[in-house]
């Protein structure tokens, strides 16, 4: 029966190569998202002709994995590998001694290990399938050697299937104009995955750094010299906060209030202040909004205030002055409000807060991915992301108010009623 082998008929969108002139196609996705099947089917599409003995677009390919065993057991003989995908009359033969696949039409694919970059010196190819590039220990050297080897034919191309990791060679490849990408989370392929597997991994890893990388297939960025690291934030995650002594909603308003403005950073955080030890902070929610008007972000901040039964709203007023408080008062005139002004730069304000994380004194509820992404782009040189670090600024104001400002309170911390 031919239908199981007609991949274009039942493939998911991220498994099909984009149109246009590209040199590298990167398929990024979570575990089990169907990346291996997409790579194997792409190889088929390159080597097969209309009939079993007809020539395809490519005649000489490279199959490059982390190890030779990975190439053989996953890319070639795996459940979603080349052999399993190929119809009987087009199935290649594995020549173990020469580490190569040979198709009935004469096309050949050679297996290479990323642990031996020099193994790619000398051979030449018109196509390559690269698996799990982001895991390779010698990723740059191996990728560079492969580029020199992709020199046959009119349009040599490479398909890269990988779980995203923040490694230099992958980031640089993604930025090239000749690179195209498709992406899917693990759940995109749920029809082919056990329900118990999805339930277990989502329950255990949803909202965590590892879950965003391995399940959502998200490239988690981090800058050199970052004040926060993913490992630091991963260690800070908790599922349920304790009973809190104070909660504030911190607001970093945009300079202007229209659709093209930066986001309005809104962070909800709380603190526990024991009588015989250091205070501990808890980041509860990232309520940041892209608001078309000042009233829209003020409504979002006030809603967060009531949602968490907070003690007050803390807002930076450098840009808006008294107007910031006035807008909040228009929404709710009874909200306790504290103005804060920045007298030093963003890095100087952020460093003491980052130190609290290094001391293990701040924890995050799960699901704060966009905030954590911004934190990892705040460096000793400044913010290295796009736009304004609005979420970071709001977080810094919240934790500064809760944990770094000295307060006289002879009766001890007030316990909130939730």
């Amino acid at each position: 029966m031919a239908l199981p082998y007609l991949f274009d008929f039942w493939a998911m969108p991220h498994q099909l190569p984009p149109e246009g002139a590209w040199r590298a196609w990167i398929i990024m996705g979570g575990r089990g998202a169907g990346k291996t099947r997409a790579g194997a089917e792409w190889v088929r599409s390159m080597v097969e002709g209309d009939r079993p003995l007809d020539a395809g677009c490519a005649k000489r390919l490279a199959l490059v994995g982390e190890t030779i065993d990975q190439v053989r057991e996953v890319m070639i003989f795996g459940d979603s590998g080349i052999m399993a995908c190929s119809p009987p009359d087009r199935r290649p033969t594995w020549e173990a001694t020469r580490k190569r696949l040979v198709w009935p039409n004469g096309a050949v694919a050679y297996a290479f290990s990323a642990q031996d970059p020099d193994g790619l010196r000398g051979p030449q190819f018109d196509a390559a399938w690269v698996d799990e590039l982001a895991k390779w220990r010698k990723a740059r050297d191996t990728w560079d050697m492969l580029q020199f080897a992709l020199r046959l034919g009119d349009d040599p191309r490479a398909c890269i299937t990988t779980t995203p990791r923040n490694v230099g060679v992958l980031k640089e490849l993604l930025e090239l104009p000749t690179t195209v990408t498709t992406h899917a989370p693990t759940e995109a392929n749920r029809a082919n995955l056990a329900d118990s597997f999805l339930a277990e991994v989502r329950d255990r890893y949803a909202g965590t750094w590892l879950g965003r990388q391995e399940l959502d297939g998200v490239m988690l960025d981090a800058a050199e010299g970052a004040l926060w690291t993913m490992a630091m934030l991963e260690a800070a995650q908790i599922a349920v906060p304790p009973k809190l002594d104070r909660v504030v909603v911190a607001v970093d308003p945009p300079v202007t209030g229209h659709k093209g403005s930066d986001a309005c950073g809104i962070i909800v955080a709380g603190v526990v202040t024991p009588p015989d030890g250091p205070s501990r902070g808890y980041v509860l929610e990232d309520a940041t909004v892209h608001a078309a008007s000042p009233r829209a972000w003020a409504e979002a901040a006030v809603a967060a205030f009531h949602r968490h039964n907070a003690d007050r709203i803390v807002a930076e007023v450098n840009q808006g002055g008294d107007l910031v408080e006035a807008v909040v008062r228009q929404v709710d005139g009874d909200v306790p409000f504290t103005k804060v002004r920045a007298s030093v730069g963003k890095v100087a304000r952020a460093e003491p807060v980052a130190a609290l994380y290094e001391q293990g004194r701040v924890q995050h509820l799960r699901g704060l991915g966009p905030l954590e992404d911004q934190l990892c782009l705040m460096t000793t040189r400044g913010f290295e992301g796009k736009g304004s670090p609005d979420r970071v600024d709001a977080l810094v104001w919240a934790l500064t108010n809760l944990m770094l400002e000295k307060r006289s309170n002879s009766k001890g911390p007030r316990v909130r009623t939730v």
Side-chain angles (χ1 to χ4, degrees):
M1 186 175 178
L3 186 59
Y5 301 106
L6 300 179
F7 189 63
D8 288 353
F9 178 78
W10 55 267
M12 293 176 285
H14 73 278
Q15 294 179 306
L16 296 174
E19 297 181 357
W22 49 266
R23 182 172 173 84
W25 170 30
I26 301 178
I27 308 171
M28 289 200 300
R31 298 282 188 92
K35 303 185 298 296
T36 301
R37 185 60 185 263
E41 293 286 359
W42 180 79
V43 169
R44 278 192 60 205
S45 73
M46 295 297 290
V47 302
E48 292 181 5
D50 292 336
R51 294 172 297 184
L53 298 182
D54 290 348
C57 300
K59 297 180 180 179
R60 191 179 180 91
L61 295 85
L63 305 176
V64 191
E66 186 176 13
T67 65
I68 289 293
D69 286 346
Q70 288 288 312
V71 176
R72 184 179 62 246
E73 301 302 323
V74 176
M75 300 171 72
I76 297 175
F77 289 104
D79 292 340
S80 299
I82 294 170
M83 301 297 272
C85 296
S86 301
D89 60 344
R90 298 166 185 258
R91 189 166 295 148
T93 300
W94 171 243
E95 296 181 354
T97 57
R98 301 189 66 179
K99 298 177 184 176
R100 70 176 192 173
L101 284 174
V102 181
W103 276 263
N105 65 1
V108 181
Y110 291 87
F112 294 91
S113 167
Q115 295 183 356
D116 180 23
D118 287 341
L120 286 161
R121 289 182 180 272
Q124 52 186 356
F125 309 99
D126 49 16
W129 175 21
V130 169
D131 190 48
E132 293 296 357
L133 170 67
K135 288 176 57 181
W136 297 354
R137 292 184 180 180
K138 300 180 180 180
R140 186 176 298 281
D141 290 343
T142 305
W143 178 255
D144 287 345
M145 289 299 101
L146 179 61
Q147 298 317 290
F148 288 114
L150 279 171
R151 57 181 185 263
L152 290 181
D154 297 328
D155 187 22
R157 292 182 167 190
C159 173
I160 301 99
T161 51
T162 188
T163 302
R165 289 187 179 182
N166 187 11
V167 295
V169 65
L170 180 57
K171 291 175 65 177
E172 292 168 11
L173 185 56
L174 287 166
E175 293 173 359
L176 293 177
T178 54
T179 297
V180 294
T181 62
T182 56
H183 168 268
T186 297
E187 290 195 11
N189 194 33
R190 64 181 310 146
N192 298 308
L193 301 172
D195 290 340
S196 59
F197 163 77
L198 285 173
E200 175 70 17
V201 295
R202 277 297 177 195
D203 182 62
R204 181 174 297 183
Y205 300 111
T208 69
W209 168 82
L210 190 62
R212 296 185 68 220
Q213 174 179 281
E214 301 294 328
L215 299 178
D216 297 333
V218 174
M219 172 73 79
L220 300 175
D221 212 345
E224 183 179 353
L227 299 179
W228 286 267
T229 67
M230 281 298 175
M232 181 191 300
L233 297 173
E234 179 74 5
Q237 290 191 347
I238 58 171
V240 180
K243 190 172 184 179
L244 301 170
D245 295 331
R246 294 183 63 237
V247 169
V248 300
V249 177
V251 182
D252 178 57
V255 176
T256 57
H258 54 75
K259 291 183 179 179
S261 301
D262 290 327
C264 176
I266 303 174
I267 299 295
V268 184
V271 69
V272 173
T273 309
D276 56 352
S279 59
R280 297 187 64 84
Y282 297 87
V283 183
L284 308 176
E285 183 184 354
D286 179 357
T288 297
V289 293
H290 284 84
S293 67
R295 184 176 179 88
W297 61 251
E299 289 175 346
V302 170
F305 173 88
H306 291 296
R307 190 162 57 247
H308 290 273
N309 190 23
D311 294 86
R312 65 182 49 251
I313 290 178
V314 177
E316 181 182 331
V317 297
N318 281 55
Q319 302 294 340
D322 292 338
L323 177 63
V324 174
E325 181 177 4
V327 173
V328 173
R329 296 284 182 216
Q330 289 174 8
V331 178
D332 188 334
D334 296 326
V335 171
F337 188 92
T338 296
K339 302 177 185 178
V340 289
R341 295 183 182 273
S343 58
V344 296
K346 294 180 185 294
V347 174
R349 296 199 306 271
E351 284 178 332
V353 175
L356 296 174
Y357 283 78
E358 291 179 328
Q359 296 163 10
R361 292 176 56 193
V362 181
Q363 295 187 292
H364 283 200
L365 292 191
R366 291 182 174 182
L368 301 176
L371 167 64
E372 292 169 351
D373 288 347
Q374 274 198 2
L375 288 171
C376 291
L377 293 172
M378 178 61 74
T379 77
T380 54
R381 300 177 300 278
F383 183 62
E384 298 195 356
K386 295 180 180 179
S388 172
D390 33 69
R391 302 169 197 267
V392 176
D393 285 342
L395 172 87
V396 167
W397 289 124
L399 293 179
T400 298
N401 179 273
L402 291 169
M403 303 178 70
L404 297 176
E405 291 182 354
K406 293 184 178 180
R407 301 176 182 276
S408 58
N409 189 352
S410 59
K411 297 181 180 179
R414 178 172 64 87
V415 177
R416 303 174 58 257
T417 302
V418 179

